[in-house]
Amino acid sequence: MFAIVVLVVLVVLVLIVLSTLGNNSRSKNIPYLHEVYYHRGYYNNKDLPENSMKAFRKCIDKGYGIELDVQLTKDKKVIVFHDDDIKRMTGVNLNIKDTEYEELKKYHLLDTEEIIPEFEEVLKANGFKSPLYIEIKDFSMHYHELVDKTVELCDRYPGNYIFCSFNPMVLIYLKKIRPELLRGIIVQRYKKGNYIVGKILENMFLNFMIKPDIISYQYNKPNWSLKLNKLFHNTLAGWAIKTYEDYENNTLYDMPVIERFDHRTKEKI
Protein backbone atom coordinates (compact mmCIF):
# COMPACT_ATOMS: atom_id res chain seq x y z
CA MET A 1 0.00 0.00 0.00
CA PHE A 2 2.80 2.40 0.92
CA ALA A 3 4.54 1.72 -2.39
CA ILE A 4 1.36 2.57 -4.30
CA VAL A 5 0.99 5.87 -2.42
CA VAL A 6 4.62 6.77 -3.12
CA LEU A 7 4.16 5.92 -6.81
CA VAL A 8 1.03 8.08 -7.06
CA VAL A 9 2.81 10.99 -5.38
CA LEU A 10 5.77 10.67 -7.75
CA VAL A 11 3.48 10.57 -10.80
CA VAL A 12 1.67 13.69 -9.60
CA LEU A 13 4.97 15.51 -9.01
CA VAL A 14 6.20 14.59 -12.48
CA LEU A 15 2.94 15.82 -14.02
CA ILE A 16 3.21 19.08 -12.09
CA VAL A 17 6.74 19.72 -13.33
CA LEU A 18 5.96 18.71 -16.91
CA SER A 19 2.77 20.77 -17.03
CA THR A 20 4.39 23.87 -15.55
CA LEU A 21 7.38 23.73 -17.87
CA GLY A 22 5.31 22.62 -20.86
CA ASN A 23 3.78 26.00 -21.69
CA ASN A 24 4.91 28.00 -24.70
CA SER A 25 7.15 31.00 -24.06
CA ARG A 26 6.18 32.76 -27.30
CA SER A 27 3.18 34.48 -25.66
CA LYS A 28 5.51 36.74 -23.65
CA ASN A 29 6.49 38.58 -26.83
CA ILE A 30 2.98 39.00 -28.26
CA PRO A 31 1.53 42.36 -27.09
CA TYR A 32 -2.14 41.59 -27.74
CA LEU A 33 -1.98 38.66 -25.30
CA HIS A 34 -1.43 41.24 -22.56
CA GLU A 35 -4.42 43.44 -23.35
CA VAL A 36 -7.86 43.68 -21.74
CA TYR A 37 -10.56 41.46 -23.29
CA TYR A 38 -14.32 41.92 -22.92
CA HIS A 39 -16.13 38.72 -21.99
CA ARG A 40 -18.81 38.04 -24.67
CA GLY A 41 -18.31 41.59 -25.90
CA TYR A 42 -19.22 44.99 -24.43
CA TYR A 43 -22.54 43.83 -23.01
CA ASN A 44 -25.02 44.46 -20.21
CA ASN A 45 -27.78 42.02 -21.25
CA LYS A 46 -30.24 44.90 -21.45
CA ASP A 47 -29.87 46.92 -24.62
CA LEU A 48 -26.50 45.26 -25.31
CA PRO A 49 -26.94 41.46 -25.38
CA GLU A 50 -23.92 39.23 -24.85
CA ASN A 51 -22.27 37.72 -27.94
CA SER A 52 -24.23 40.07 -30.22
CA MET A 53 -23.01 42.19 -33.11
CA LYS A 54 -23.98 45.30 -31.16
CA ALA A 55 -21.81 44.24 -28.21
CA PHE A 56 -18.92 43.40 -30.54
CA ARG A 57 -19.21 46.69 -32.47
CA LYS A 58 -18.89 48.57 -29.18
CA CYS A 59 -15.60 46.77 -28.55
CA ILE A 60 -14.46 47.36 -32.13
CA ASP A 61 -15.25 51.10 -31.94
CA LYS A 62 -13.27 51.38 -28.72
CA GLY A 63 -10.45 49.10 -29.86
CA TYR A 64 -11.01 46.67 -26.98
CA GLY A 65 -10.19 42.95 -27.15
CA ILE A 66 -13.15 40.59 -27.64
CA GLU A 67 -13.78 37.22 -26.00
CA LEU A 68 -16.46 35.18 -27.77
CA ASP A 69 -17.83 31.63 -28.00
CA VAL A 70 -18.17 29.56 -31.17
CA GLN A 71 -20.16 26.40 -31.81
CA LEU A 72 -21.82 24.54 -34.67
CA THR A 73 -25.48 24.49 -35.67
CA LYS A 74 -27.24 21.45 -37.14
CA ASP A 75 -26.39 22.64 -40.67
CA LYS A 76 -22.73 23.17 -39.67
CA LYS A 77 -22.70 26.95 -39.47
CA VAL A 78 -20.15 28.40 -37.05
CA ILE A 79 -22.14 30.76 -34.84
CA VAL A 80 -21.29 32.91 -31.85
CA PHE A 81 -23.27 31.86 -28.79
CA HIS A 82 -22.47 30.70 -25.27
CA ASP A 83 -25.19 28.31 -24.08
CA ASP A 84 -26.10 24.88 -25.48
CA ASP A 85 -29.66 26.13 -26.00
CA ILE A 86 -31.17 29.53 -26.69
CA LYS A 87 -33.78 29.63 -23.91
CA ARG A 88 -31.93 32.03 -21.56
CA MET A 89 -31.33 34.57 -24.31
CA THR A 90 -34.53 34.22 -26.39
CA GLY A 91 -37.14 32.43 -24.24
CA VAL A 92 -37.36 29.66 -26.86
CA ASN A 93 -36.21 26.17 -25.88
CA LEU A 94 -34.09 25.03 -28.85
CA ASN A 95 -30.74 23.28 -28.75
CA ILE A 96 -28.04 24.81 -30.96
CA LYS A 97 -26.70 21.52 -32.30
CA ASP A 98 -30.21 20.31 -33.24
CA THR A 99 -31.34 23.49 -35.00
CA GLU A 100 -30.41 24.98 -38.37
CA TYR A 101 -29.18 28.55 -38.47
CA GLU A 102 -32.11 29.83 -40.57
CA GLU A 103 -34.38 28.82 -37.69
CA LEU A 104 -32.14 30.34 -35.01
CA LYS A 105 -32.09 33.67 -36.87
CA LYS A 106 -35.82 34.08 -36.27
CA TYR A 107 -35.35 34.69 -32.55
CA HIS A 108 -34.13 37.95 -31.06
CA LEU A 109 -31.75 38.23 -28.13
CA LEU A 110 -33.39 39.55 -24.95
CA ASP A 111 -36.17 41.42 -26.80
CA THR A 112 -33.68 43.55 -28.77
CA GLU A 113 -33.20 43.71 -32.54
CA GLU A 114 -30.07 41.56 -32.21
CA ILE A 115 -29.92 37.94 -33.41
CA ILE A 116 -27.33 35.19 -33.00
CA PRO A 117 -24.47 36.13 -35.36
CA GLU A 118 -22.39 33.92 -37.56
CA PHE A 119 -18.70 33.93 -36.67
CA GLU A 120 -17.82 35.05 -40.18
CA GLU A 121 -19.97 38.17 -39.72
CA VAL A 122 -17.98 39.11 -36.62
CA LEU A 123 -14.69 38.66 -38.45
CA LYS A 124 -15.83 40.86 -41.33
CA ALA A 125 -17.13 43.60 -39.03
CA ASN A 126 -13.97 43.69 -36.94
CA GLY A 127 -11.68 45.03 -39.62
CA PHE A 128 -8.65 43.86 -37.60
CA LYS A 129 -9.27 46.52 -34.93
CA SER A 130 -9.85 44.22 -31.95
CA PRO A 131 -7.86 41.10 -31.06
CA LEU A 132 -10.05 38.03 -30.58
CA TYR A 133 -10.07 35.41 -27.83
CA ILE A 134 -12.05 32.60 -29.50
CA GLU A 135 -13.48 29.96 -27.17
CA ILE A 136 -14.20 26.71 -29.00
CA LYS A 137 -17.20 25.23 -27.19
CA ASP A 138 -17.34 21.51 -27.85
CA PHE A 139 -17.02 18.67 -25.36
CA SER A 140 -18.35 16.05 -27.77
CA MET A 141 -16.30 13.51 -29.71
CA HIS A 142 -16.96 15.51 -32.89
CA TYR A 143 -14.95 18.61 -32.02
CA HIS A 144 -12.72 18.20 -35.09
CA GLU A 145 -15.34 19.70 -37.40
CA LEU A 146 -15.84 22.83 -35.31
CA VAL A 147 -12.07 23.33 -35.00
CA ASP A 148 -11.52 22.83 -38.74
CA LYS A 149 -14.28 25.22 -39.77
CA THR A 150 -13.26 27.89 -37.26
CA VAL A 151 -9.62 27.74 -38.32
CA GLU A 152 -10.63 27.90 -41.99
CA LEU A 153 -12.61 31.09 -41.36
CA CYS A 154 -9.73 32.63 -39.43
CA ASP A 155 -7.29 31.80 -42.22
CA ARG A 156 -9.14 34.40 -44.32
CA TYR A 157 -8.79 36.92 -41.49
CA PRO A 158 -5.30 38.38 -41.01
CA GLY A 159 -6.15 39.97 -37.66
CA ASN A 160 -4.91 38.94 -34.21
CA TYR A 161 -6.52 36.05 -32.37
CA ILE A 162 -5.99 33.11 -30.02
CA PHE A 163 -8.00 29.88 -29.82
CA CYS A 164 -9.02 28.69 -26.35
CA SER A 165 -11.08 25.84 -24.92
CA PHE A 166 -12.00 24.01 -21.72
CA ASN A 167 -11.58 20.77 -23.66
CA PRO A 168 -7.92 19.63 -23.72
CA MET A 169 -8.62 17.37 -26.70
CA VAL A 170 -9.62 20.40 -28.79
CA LEU A 171 -6.26 22.02 -28.09
CA ILE A 172 -4.25 18.84 -28.61
CA TYR A 173 -5.95 18.45 -31.99
CA LEU A 174 -5.30 22.11 -32.84
CA LYS A 175 -1.64 21.69 -31.91
CA LYS A 176 -1.44 18.66 -34.19
CA ILE A 177 -2.99 20.24 -37.29
CA ARG A 178 -1.81 23.84 -36.88
CA PRO A 179 0.98 24.10 -34.29
CA GLU A 180 1.79 27.68 -35.32
CA LEU A 181 -1.60 28.99 -34.13
CA LEU A 182 -1.86 30.43 -30.63
CA ARG A 183 -3.85 28.33 -28.18
CA GLY A 184 -4.90 28.58 -24.55
CA ILE A 185 -6.42 26.24 -22.00
CA ILE A 186 -9.42 27.53 -20.02
CA VAL A 187 -9.57 26.24 -16.46
CA GLN A 188 -11.99 26.36 -13.56
CA ARG A 189 -12.57 24.60 -10.25
CA TYR A 190 -14.63 21.42 -10.71
CA LYS A 191 -17.07 20.42 -7.96
CA LYS A 192 -19.30 18.07 -9.97
CA GLY A 193 -18.68 15.05 -12.15
CA ASN A 194 -15.73 12.65 -12.06
CA TYR A 195 -13.40 13.68 -9.21
CA ILE A 196 -10.20 12.41 -10.82
CA VAL A 197 -10.94 14.01 -14.20
CA GLY A 198 -11.85 17.27 -12.42
CA LYS A 199 -8.55 17.35 -10.55
CA ILE A 200 -6.57 16.59 -13.72
CA LEU A 201 -8.28 19.50 -15.50
CA GLU A 202 -8.18 22.10 -12.73
CA ASN A 203 -4.52 21.39 -11.96
CA MET A 204 -3.63 21.43 -15.66
CA PHE A 205 -1.82 18.08 -15.66
CA LEU A 206 -2.25 17.81 -19.44
CA ASN A 207 -0.47 21.06 -20.28
CA PHE A 208 2.67 19.20 -21.32
CA MET A 209 0.58 17.70 -24.16
CA ILE A 210 -1.22 20.94 -25.05
CA LYS A 211 1.72 23.35 -24.69
CA PRO A 212 -0.62 26.32 -24.22
CA ASP A 213 0.42 29.88 -24.92
CA ILE A 214 -1.84 31.14 -22.14
CA ILE A 215 -3.67 29.67 -19.17
CA SER A 216 -7.11 31.22 -18.72
CA TYR A 217 -8.34 30.67 -15.17
CA GLN A 218 -11.47 31.51 -13.15
CA TYR A 219 -10.09 34.77 -11.76
CA ASN A 220 -11.44 34.62 -8.20
CA LYS A 221 -10.51 30.97 -7.56
CA PRO A 222 -6.77 30.60 -8.23
CA ASN A 223 -5.18 27.40 -6.93
CA TRP A 224 -1.61 26.38 -6.11
CA SER A 225 -1.01 25.08 -9.64
CA LEU A 226 -1.91 28.44 -11.17
CA LYS A 227 0.37 30.27 -8.74
CA LEU A 228 3.17 27.88 -9.64
CA ASN A 229 2.65 28.72 -13.29
CA LYS A 230 2.87 32.41 -12.38
CA LEU A 231 6.17 31.72 -10.64
CA PHE A 232 7.49 30.25 -13.89
CA HIS A 233 6.31 33.37 -15.77
CA ASN A 234 3.66 31.62 -17.84
CA THR A 235 1.08 33.98 -19.35
CA LEU A 236 -2.18 33.96 -17.36
CA ALA A 237 -5.64 35.24 -18.28
CA GLY A 238 -8.30 35.75 -15.60
CA TRP A 239 -12.02 35.43 -16.40
CA ALA A 240 -14.43 37.07 -15.89
CA ILE A 241 -13.57 40.06 -13.71
CA LYS A 242 -16.82 41.82 -12.84
CA THR A 243 -15.82 45.05 -11.07
CA TYR A 244 -13.34 47.84 -11.71
CA GLU A 245 -11.97 47.38 -8.19
CA ASP A 246 -11.05 43.75 -8.88
CA TYR A 247 -9.51 44.78 -12.19
CA GLU A 248 -7.47 47.56 -10.60
CA ASN A 249 -6.25 45.32 -7.77
CA ASN A 250 -5.27 42.46 -10.10
CA THR A 251 -1.64 41.38 -9.71
CA LEU A 252 -1.94 37.77 -10.88
CA TYR A 253 -3.26 37.92 -14.44
CA ASP A 254 -1.45 39.28 -17.49
CA MET A 255 -4.60 39.28 -19.62
CA PRO A 256 -7.74 40.41 -17.75
CA VAL A 257 -11.04 39.19 -19.22
CA ILE A 258 -13.69 41.56 -17.87
CA GLU A 259 -17.43 42.11 -18.18
CA ARG A 260 -20.10 44.75 -17.54
CA PHE A 261 -17.75 47.69 -16.84
CA ASP A 262 -15.46 49.90 -18.90
CA HIS A 263 -11.84 49.59 -17.75
CA ARG A 264 -10.99 53.10 -19.01
CA THR A 265 -13.96 55.12 -17.78
CA LYS A 266 -14.49 52.87 -14.69
CA GLU A 267 -18.24 53.02 -15.36
CA LYS A 268 -20.69 50.13 -15.46
CA ILE A 269 -21.89 49.24 -18.93
Side-chain angles (χ1 to χ4, degrees):
M1 182 64 182
F2 177 74
I4 293 174
V5 172
V6 170
L7 180 62
V8 169
V9 170
L10 287 174
V11 169
V12 170
L13 288 174
V14 169
L15 286 172
I16 290 169
V17 173
L18 286 175
S19 297
T20 304
L21 298 177
N23 300 295
N24 271 329
S25 60
R26 59 185 178 177
S27 60
K28 299 171 188 175
N29 301 315
I30 299 176
Y32 68 86
L33 293 185
H34 297 262
E35 294 186 14
V36 178
Y37 284 71
Y38 279 68
H39 194 233
R40 305 178 200 171
Y42 195 93
Y43 85 93
N44 57 19
N45 273 352
K46 296 175 183 176
D47 60 319
L48 293 166
E50 66 186 61
N51 276 326
S52 68
M53 289 305 302
K54 191 174 182 180
F56 297 143
R57 286 194 181 99
K58 284 283 187 179
C59 282
I60 293 164
D61 291 344
K62 294 172 180 289
Y64 294 166
I66 298 172
E67 186 272 351
L68 53 79
D69 310 281
V70 296
Q71 51 183 306
L72 281 182
T73 62
K74 183 179 180 181
D75 53 338
K76 310 305 180 184
K77 298 285 188 181
V78 183
I79 63 163
V80 181
F81 200 74
H82 178 269
D83 300 354
D84 294 334
D85 62 69
I86 65 172
K87 187 172 184 179
R88 178 174 66 90
M89 295 299 294
T90 69
V92 179
N93 193 14
L94 290 174
N95 289 325
I96 296 289
K97 65 181 179 62
D98 298 325
T99 310
E100 295 189 351
Y101 184 58
E102 285 302 314
E103 177 69 17
L104 294 172
K105 284 169 61 177
K106 296 177 182 177
Y107 306 104
H108 290 228
L109 301 174
L110 300 177
D111 297 320
T112 68
E113 293 301 310
E114 297 297 303
I115 62 171
I116 298 170
E118 287 190 74
F119 181 50
E120 186 173 14
E121 183 183 4
V122 180
L123 293 178
K124 289 178 178 178
N126 193 2
F128 323 139
K129 290 183 179 180
S130 295
L132 302 177
Y133 169 128
I134 303 161
E135 180 182 343
I136 298 175
K137 297 189 72 68
D138 198 329
F139 265 97
S140 75
M141 296 304 293
H142 308 290
Y143 55 82
H144 307 81
E145 190 168 17
L146 175 57
V147 174
D148 291 342
K149 286 181 174 291
T150 304
V151 169
E152 181 184 354
L153 289 169
C154 287
D155 279 343
R156 306 176 207 160
Y157 169 80
N160 297 321
Y161 52 84
I162 181 170
F163 296 104
C164 298
S165 184
F166 281 97
N167 186 351
M169 301 310 297
V170 164
L171 300 168
I172 292 170
Y173 176 66
L174 183 63
K175 173 174 166 282
K176 178 183 177 181
I177 63 167
R178 296 291 296 275
E180 79 280 8
L181 296 177
L182 296 171
R183 55 191 174 271
I185 183 69
I186 309 176
V187 190
Q188 66 180 355
R189 294 290 186 95
Y190 290 90
K191 295 181 179 180
K192 298 179 181 179
N194 188 296
Y195 177 82
I196 294 176
V197 171
K199 289 303 175 185
I200 288 172
L201 293 176
E202 74 178 48
N203 291 302
M204 299 168 281
F205 287 158
L206 300 181
N207 278 11
F208 73 98
M209 298 173 66
I210 299 166
K211 293 192 177 299
D213 295 287
I214 68 165
I215 295 168
S216 185
Y217 213 95
Q218 199 170 1
Y219 90 96
N220 58 345
K221 296 184 179 181
N223 66 357
W224 62 269
S225 183
L226 187 72
K227 293 175 182 177
L228 188 60
N229 273 278
K230 181 69 172 180
L231 185 65
F232 280 85
H233 305 289
N234 294 319
T235 302
L236 308 182
W239 59 273
I241 300 173
K242 293 179 171 59
T243 67
Y244 179 79
E245 289 71 27
D246 284 342
Y247 164 75
E248 190 176 42
N249 294 328
N250 165 54
T251 58
L252 182 60
Y253 300 105
D254 309 287
M255 180 177 148
V257 182
I258 69 174
E259 63 180 13
R260 295 180 183 249
F261 70 92
D262 190 301
H263 74 287
R264 289 180 183 161
T265 67
K266 307 180 185 180
E267 297 175 351
K268 290 185 178 179
I269 297 173

